[in-house]
Amino acid sequence: MSDPIRLAVVGMGKIAHDQHLPAIRDNAEFRLVATVSRHGEATDGLPFFASIDELAASGLAVDAVALCTPPQVRRSIAMTAIAKGWHVFLEKPPGATLAEVVTLCDAADAAGISLFASWHSRYAAGVEPARAWLAERTITRATITWREDVRVWHPGQHWIWEPGGFGVFDPGINALSIATRILPHAFFVEQAELDVPSNCAAPIAARVDFRDTQGTAIAMDLDFRQEGPQSWDIVVETDAGTLTLAKGGGELSLPGGETPAGTALHGEYPGLYARFAEIVRAGTSDVDVAPIRLVADAFLRGRHIPVDPFVE
Ligand code: NAP
């Protein structure tokens, strides 16, 4: 096997601690060599830096970085990494705008480094079996219901309410990353309603009607105000019965009986790091902008409706 990929993690928040560090520790393809955190907090006794610029200036040998910051600051950090010739793993969403992601792709290609726009939900256990099953069916309707309590899942994450923070589309884009993977035909936004709290820049709820190229309706319901049972479900009606993908892609039910039960989020990051190693070794990139393109279109095409202020 080749030498491990020397990796630095940037932005030591919830997802870096919950998912990235364990997945990196468990993957022999990677060796964590540093972290970048404005808090200046060491991980596993490794060197830490307050910014990517300090890491770049340190002379530490690094092959790749995983960027776990909010999307608003990801492009400039990625550009610094690309200029250093480091491979880049982008947390989802890959940027705050579609155009900046495209410019990152161009820069990565020009520098000859691997760029990975990760979509963790695509690595949930039910997603690939769902895609295979749907590939042979005629779809008559699909509904996406992503309703979660923002106070439980995103405490203190003020960036989510700022411009470029995506609001309820921060989890909603996960649903779209699955839908764009499992549904056999491309789809686009027909209309949308975005409920925006009067003290926030991003929506707290949204209803989006999509249609695919075969004329099939796909309805999406996102809500950050859900208390009690939470929903991360995609239901697809077909000529052969109804497929349900629940728990964020982790649990698949088919009309004919059960298929693999999911391992939910903690199973997704090993898959992401395996894929990142694969593209780094192959000298390729993996950037699919389909999910962020649909979110951008919902913002473009949607009616923005002011609603009550959000108080955490
Ligand atoms: P978070 O807990 O707020 O952590 C983000 C971290 O980024 C912060 O702790 C901070 O780390 C750094 N950061 C924040 N603002 C920054 C700025 N202006 N400049 C540079 N660094 C900054 O958020 P998170 O939940 O980990 O989410 C981060 C990204 O991962 C988001 O894009 C999110 O969509 C994605 N994600 C989250 C989850 C989840 O379940 N939470 C799941 C999958 C993907 P330092 O203080 O160490 O610098």
Side-chain angles (χ1 to χ4, degrees), residues 11-16 36-39 68-71 73-74 77 91-93 120 157 159 170 265 269:
M12 300 306 293
K14 182 169 175 10
I15 201 63
V36 174
S37 169
R38 297 165 311 162
H39 294 119
C68 305
T69 65
V73 293
R74 206 165 283 142
I77 296 172
E91 249 304 347
K92 51 69 46 173
H120 66 83
Q157 293 185 352
W159 56 265
D170 176 75
L265 194 62
Y269 280 73

Side-chain angles (χ1 to χ4, degrees), residues 37 41 53 66 69 105 107 110 122 129 137 146 157 166 204 207 209 214 242 244 246 248 268 295-296 300 309:
S37 169
E41 198 178 291
D53 293 321
T69 65
C105 288
R122 286 186 175 174
R137 273 48 201 206
W146 236 247
Q157 293 185 352
F166 289 60
I204 196 164
R207 295 155 299 282
D209 292 332
Q214 307 301 297
T242 300
T244 303
E268 298 169 8
V295 171
L300 271 175

